Each structure stands twice: as structure tokens, then as C-alpha cells.
Amino acid sequence: MEFDSTRPIYLQIIDVIKKQIIRGELKPGDKVLSQRDFAEKIRVNPNTVQRAYKEMESMSILETIRGQGTFICNRPEMLKEIKAEMANEILTTFISDMRSLGFETDEIRDIVNSSLKGE
Amino acid sequence: MEFDSTRPIYLQIIDVIKKQIIRGELKPGDKVLSQRDFAEKIRVNPNTVQRAYKEMESMSILETIRGQGTFICNRPEMLKEIKAEMANEILTTFISDMRSLGFETDEIRDIVNSSLKGE
Amino acid sequence: MEFDSTRPIYLQIIDVIKKQIIRGELKPGDKVLSQRDFAEKIRVNPNTVQRAYKEMESMSILETIRGQGTFICNRPEMLKEIKAEMANEILTTFISDMRSLGFETDEIRDIVNSSLKGE
Amino acid sequence: MEFDSTRPIYLQIIDVIKKQIIRGELKPGDKVLSQRDFAEKIRVNPNTVQRAYKEMESMSILETIRGQGTFICNRPEMLKEIKAEMANEILTTFISDMRSLGFETDEIRDIVNSSLKGE
DNA sequence: GTGGTCTAGACCACA
DNA sequence: GTGGTCTAGACCACA
């Protein structure tokens, strides 16, 4: 796996897993790779994977059973929450990028609306 | 300078210069650093800078006068063009990111509009 | 500082700081030692201190300002919350210790009440 | 076996044996491990075991018969005594911990009573 | 100087 | 085999 050097790896790992959940490649209850195996697969230190897993535990996306492994939480609202969260991040980035080019709120709205009209 | 390892550096250099033009840090007619000096400053290979400069020449953003150096073009519409171009890139990224999360055109529009409403 | 080898050091660091807050030795707004300085003082690795600090950030006990340091949060309810938390831990330990000796709920209550009567 | 580095090991050994008696894992009249064997099993110096055994002899919990070994005393009140002793230790620790948090006698009583009410 | 991220790797607890 | 804790130490970002 290739990482963007401008963002912490553990945050990128979180995004990867979130996306897999959204796409249904990982389902509630599924076991994820062990810290060691995942670390080996993506060529990072196990501590970095652990950090990502811990962070996701605190978001109630993953849950860990000691000695057994780490699993996708089984909460019905989870998928919706993750989508909303990620959408919000993407939106925030978009708006701040546009503003940094000097666009005002109305202009941003118009650009988006006219761009989506034809589709 | 820090580069995102997932995109070619010359494209990132182009973006940096475009942004400086938009922000007025570089004005039409200004001389830019020589390829050699710029390369040294941002610690990249001079060939990489050359590629970025060439690309921008073909976009009529830079022009090189032999024996004198490289300058920001003095075209009245340039700034507007650059803004539109960059806005388009940002918008395209935004829409494709949202679609990859499973959002439909209507949903994207609604999310943007409601997010910009309060501001 | 001396640590009890049966509990993770970072948890013991958390307890130490909580107690200092309860005793008023650390007041809301106070700067705590830097990760490095504290680590050196108590002879542990800076990462271990960082872990304790992070954990306390997530409890809203500490807050970190990058490049400046780490500070005790300035929340009016904080002291009360910490006391309640620690009291609860102590109480839980007490009750489970008593139960492991074979005491029933009523017996525990009686023992406590009669012990506190004379004081 | 794991020891808490903040308390003398011989006291911790005493606690372990007392608990085994309370739980019925060791019965009056049972032979306990020889000092040498016990020391080897829990990886401590034989002198440490000796000190624990001596202490328990003086409490009439163990008795040593020369040439035969060391045995759990066969006194009917022993189990009760041990439970009372240990309960007292636990209680004392609890009350002093609560006081060090700033709780008054009445508060401690209330906290315990209300905590045990629901159970 | 301060915190943030990451690696390499040791050793432990739980099952 | 799995996660949990910890050390030693590198290098970076922010101020």
C-alpha cells in the first residue's frame, strides 16, 4: 500500500478501513487482520497499525477481544455514521480549498450546482 | 517544501506557482527563480523544475526569454483562467470522492447547499 | 517515582496527576511538565508520558497546545468529576475484594457502617 | 507468580496463602509445599518463603513439624479469623483511600450504602 | 523547546 | 497466536 507522505499513516489506515466498510468489503462482525499481519502486509510498524485500531475502537468502529483479535463493531447505525463523517471531511476540504482560491460562498454554490446540473 | 508522495512533483510545483499567482504573491511580468535556484531551494532535481516550467509555458503562464530568465506572462485573462482551472480540479476531486462514498448527484447537491446555507 | 509493577505505568501516571489536581497542587490552567521533562523526572520513556497525557486529553483533563505545552483544563466541573471517578474505582475494588473473601452485600454494608460508627 | 513491587514479597505470599485457605483450596491439616519447593515454584529466594512461613506460624495459621513438613493449622476458628483480618485490611485501605480524596465519614458511608442498595 | 509520528524490537497477558 | 505495554531513539511540525 502506498501512503501520502503529507498525512499521518495511522489516519490513512483508518480511512482505508472506513472505505472498506462503506463498500461492504468489511462487514459488521468480521475479523480484521491482526496488528502484526496487517502491519506486514502494508509494510508499516505494528505500533502504527495498533494506533489506527485503537483510534477506531474509540470511535466504536472496531472492538478488540484480547487474545482473539479485532472485529468490526456490530452497530446498525455505524455505516451511516461513517459515511456522514467522511462526507463531512471531504466537504470541509473542498470548501476550504475553494475559499483559498478566493471564491465566495455564493460562487462555490453556483459552481457546484451548475456542474451537477448536466449529469 | 513538502511534497505529497502520491502525485508527481512537477504537478505539485505547478500548483504552488499557480496559487502564488492567485494570491498575488507573483504578479504578471515578475521574474521567477531560475530553474537551478528554484530546484536548490525546494531540494528537487533541476529536471523536475524544468518540466514544471515547460508545462506552464505551454499553458501560457510562464514565458522564458533566453539570456534573461523566466517570467510570469502578462495576459489579462490569465488569473481568471488559472482560478477556473484549479477550481475545476478541486471540484472534480470533490465530486468523485463523494461518489466513491456512494452519494448520488442529488445528495451531493443537497449536502453542499445545506452546508453553505448557514454561512 | 516508584511504580507498582502490576499496573501499566501510564495508568499510574494518570492517577498521580489526578491526585495532584484533587489536592490542589495542580490548578486549572496550570502548565504541566513537558513530556520530556516529566519522563526524565520519573525515569520513564517519553512515549509513556505521552500516552498518559493523551489519555487525559480524551478525558478532558489536559489540553495540549502544539509548540507550547500541555495544560490542566479549565472546566469548573472537572474536579468533581475526577473525585467521583476515583471514588468509584476505589469503591469497586473494595467491593470486589470483599466479595472475593466470600462476604455478601449485607455483610459488607454492616462491616462498613460499624467501622465508621465510632469515628 | 507476579508480585506488586510496592509491598514486601513475604507479605504478598502470606496473602496468597490466606486466600487459598479462604477459598478452600488449602484445608486445615493440609501439607503445604516445602520452603525450598515453594521458593522454586514462585521464583523467590527461600529466605523470603521462610519469613512468610514464620510469620504465619506466629499467627497460628501454619505449624511446622520437624522432619515432616509444614501444615495448615487445624483450629476451628482459624478461617473466620483470617477472613476478619483480611477484611479489616481491605476496609482500612478503602477508608484511607477515600479520605485521601477528601471524603468525610458521612460521605463514605453514603457512597457505600447507595452503591450496595441496587444489588 | 514543545508536542506528533514512526520504527524496531523486547517482553508480557490472555486464550 | 493475539493484543498490550514499554523502551530507545529518529525525525518532523509548530512557535
Side-chain angles (χ1 to χ4, degrees), chain C residues 42-53:
Chain C
I42 63 176
R43 305 269 193 80
V44 301
N45 188 284
N47 286 329
T48 303
V49 174
Q50 187 179 48
R51 179 156 191 191
Y53 280 14

Side-chain angles (χ1 to χ4, degrees), chain B residues 23-54:
Chain B
R23 285 199 292 264
E25 293 163 25
L26 285 174
K27 289 191 176 50
D30 277 3
K31 190 179 182 186
V32 297
L33 286 177
S34 75
Q35 294 179 7
R36 209 176 303 255
D37 289 351
F38 196 19
E40 200 174 331
K41 187 182 166 198
I42 63 176
R43 306 266 191 82
V44 302
N45 191 293
N47 290 330
T48 305
V49 174
Q50 187 177 38
R51 181 159 186 192
Y53 277 21
K54 276 251 146 72

